[in-house]
Amino acid sequence: MKPETKQFLRQMLACLLCLLLGGGIALGAVWAWMGEDGRTLLSAQHLIAQRFVGDYDETEALHGTLGAMVEGLGDRWSYYLTPDEAKQVREDRENAYVGIGVTVNQEGEGGLEILTVTPGGPADEAGLQAGEVIQGVDGVAVTAENRTDLISSIRGEEGSRVTLTIADANGETRDVTVERKAVHGVTAAWTMLEGDIGLVTIANFYQGTADRVKQGVDELQQQGAKALIFDVRSNPGGYVSELTQILDDLLPEGVIFRTTAYNGKEKEYTSDASCVDLPMAVLVNADSYSAAEFLAAQLQESAGAAVVGEQTSGKGYSQMLFDLPDGSAMGLSTARYFTGGGKSLIGTGLTPDPQVSLTQAQQRDLLMGKLAHEDDAQLQAAIQTLRQE
């Protein structure tokens, strides 16, 4: 726990004890203001600080308490972040950070499998490839116990270096030293498929994504695209502002997003008459989350876009990230959201038509950017659907 946090808690407890001893109107006012839950929380903290016989990490206890508070809401979309996690999330949402330019599989017990390598980033320049495994970081072997800490340690100060022990597909290992640099994530990419069908792949809906998507759609139309496919598979979502800007660029005049805030205030987001008048399809899977899922729902509702792939999760609350004094943060659900037509996705999600699944091996190849278009059954189903239209 930071010294200032400790000091604050001690001062608060001391103040309360003084009030308890002195009595009077002030005590009643503070006691009433805190409420029973607040008094219970402070009492528990005081008991642990004064009576617990064992050793414990005060910072870990605090983070555990805050995490449990959010978990106790029973809302699967609200979350708590430690200071390190909060810092990383803020950087990720800017689509720019200092690091080496890889994403890794954060699950499992062994090494860190590289899922993606940012084109032109430090890892790419050093020859790292998706599918390889990071077995050690600066001489420390990756284990189930330290993998989270080592993932964080791969990032660092710009210009500093990190040495990674890498295992390739054949199991051969090598040490690679990579210089940490500013990495700018590629949020959207596009290409023209056979039959003049444009494919726009959207990685997330964080900062700068809407401009990238507009650039891609404009270039594909200039190349003669007769239809568009938007791929939001395994897309974690992002900002409402980026989502609604993309929908505004694509859709005709009308309501494209509705929210009802925690205080009951309702808001509508609208699109102007300028739009993209082409047949559309959207690729989704079980990991198309939040704004990704909603993009598919609204394109289907407003433009008759075909939704192809797997059943989506059905998210219907939007979150705001609130900073806490020690650098940690709470992501709290503060509003319900609906399609322009007033439909909530909670409990239903989207049911694609056609429904098409990939094998586990194909899903891994897709994440790593190694799944060839002709082997992508979901993409091929979307192409076939557009051709029929």
Side-chain angles (χ1 to χ4, degrees):
M1 186 182 297
K2 289 185 176 181
E4 56 267 29
T5 306
K6 281 186 181 181
Q7 185 65 20
F8 170 78
L9 288 172
R10 287 170 179 162
Q11 288 174 348
M12 176 68 76
L13 289 169
C15 179
L16 290 173
L17 288 173
C18 287
L19 289 170
L20 281 170
L21 294 172
I25 297 174
L27 171 61
V30 172
W31 217 236
W33 171 77
M34 291 184 63
E36 184 177 9
D37 291 341
R39 297 193 297 269
T40 300
L41 183 62
L42 274 178
S43 296
Q45 195 277 338
H46 179 64
L47 282 171
I48 291 172
Q50 297 298 319
R51 301 295 182 87
F52 181 61
V53 70
D55 296 326
Y56 72 100
D57 187 312
E58 292 179 323
T59 299
E60 289 299 318
L62 174 64
H63 293 164
T65 300
L66 294 173
M69 287 177 66
V70 176
E71 186 177 351
L73 298 174
D75 175 27
R76 57 181 170 145
W77 300 307
S78 293
Y79 53 90
Y80 170 73
L81 300 172
T82 65
D84 287 342
E85 292 169 340
K87 180 182 178 182
Q88 181 170 331
V89 164
R90 293 186 194 98
E91 290 177 347
D92 289 343
R93 291 182 176 185
E94 293 175 357
N95 280 317
Y97 63 93
V98 174
I100 66 171
V102 297
T103 60
V104 298
N105 184 358
Q106 300 196 30
E107 301 177 354
E109 297 184 355
L112 305 172
E113 181 184 24
I114 298 174
L115 296 177
T116 63
V117 179
T118 302
D124 186 28
E125 294 175 351
L128 301 188
Q129 298 181 15
E132 294 185 320
V133 177
I134 301 173
Q135 293 189 334
V137 179
D138 286 333
V140 179
V142 179
T143 66
E145 292 73 25
N146 68 12
R147 59 188 291 115
T148 300
D149 291 337
L150 290 184
I151 289 172
S152 298
S153 72
I154 292 174
R155 292 192 179 189
E157 296 295 325
E158 186 169 6
S160 62
R161 296 175 179 271
V162 60
T163 299
L164 307 174
T165 301
I166 303 295
D168 63 19
N170 299 319
E172 297 181 2
T173 62
R174 68 187 190 280
D175 284 342
V176 180
T177 298
V178 187
E179 181 179 348
R180 299 179 178 98
K181 298 179 182 178
V183 178
H184 298 275
V186 179
T187 60
W190 51 91
T191 189
M192 186 73 82
L193 305 175
E194 290 184 12
D196 294 329
I197 296 176
L199 172 64
V200 181
T201 302
I202 306 175
N204 62 53
F205 287 80
Y206 291 120
Q207 187 169 315
T209 301
D211 290 339
R212 285 283 297 175
V213 171
K214 179 174 175 54
Q215 179 184 350
V217 170
D218 288 348
E219 289 187 9
L220 289 169
Q221 287 185 100
Q222 291 168 10
Q223 295 171 28
K226 298 176 181 177
L228 295 172
I229 297 174
F230 295 94
D231 185 353
V232 292
R233 291 174 293 182
S234 300
N235 181 314
Y239 295 143
V240 169
S241 58
E242 299 290 329
L243 166 67
T244 52
Q245 184 179 332
I246 292 171
L247 290 172
D248 183 14
D249 291 337
L250 296 175
L251 294 177
E253 187 173 3
V255 180
I256 54 175
F257 191 80
R258 300 176 185 268
T259 64
T260 301
Y262 62 93
N263 57 5
K265 185 177 180 181
E266 297 181 354
K267 184 175 181 179
E268 291 183 353
Y269 297 77
T270 59
S271 173
D272 59 26
S274 176
C275 65
V276 175
D277 188 16
L278 292 174
M280 300 179 194
V282 190
L283 295 175
V284 298
N285 62 11
D287 295 321
S288 297
Y289 191 68
S290 189
E293 180 184 40
F294 192 92
L295 177 85
Q298 195 60 53
L299 289 181
Q300 182 183 58
E301 181 176 283
S302 296
V307 178
V308 180
E310 298 173 339
Q311 184 77 26
T312 61
S313 63
K315 184 174 182 286
Y317 290 177
S318 60
Q319 292 70 47
M320 290 186 65
L321 191 63
F322 296 93
D323 294 336
L324 297 175
D326 68 343
S328 61
M330 283 185 179
L332 295 181
S333 295
T334 58
R336 294 175 174 86
Y337 60 76
F338 309 85
T339 66
K343 179 182 178 182
S344 171
L345 301 178
I346 296 176
T348 60
L350 291 174
T351 301
D353 183 18
Q355 293 191 56
V356 182
S357 295
L358 302 178
T359 66
Q360 285 189 344
Q362 289 172 331
Q363 290 174 2
R364 288 170 56 82
D365 286 345
L366 177 67
L367 284 173
M368 296 178 185
K370 295 182 176 182
L371 184 62
H373 289 161
E374 58 269 22
D375 297 328
D376 186 339
Q378 292 169 335
L379 175 60
Q380 292 304 316
I383 292 172
Q384 185 62 30
T385 299
L386 288 172
R387 286 176 177 168
Q388 290 173 353
E389 292 181 358

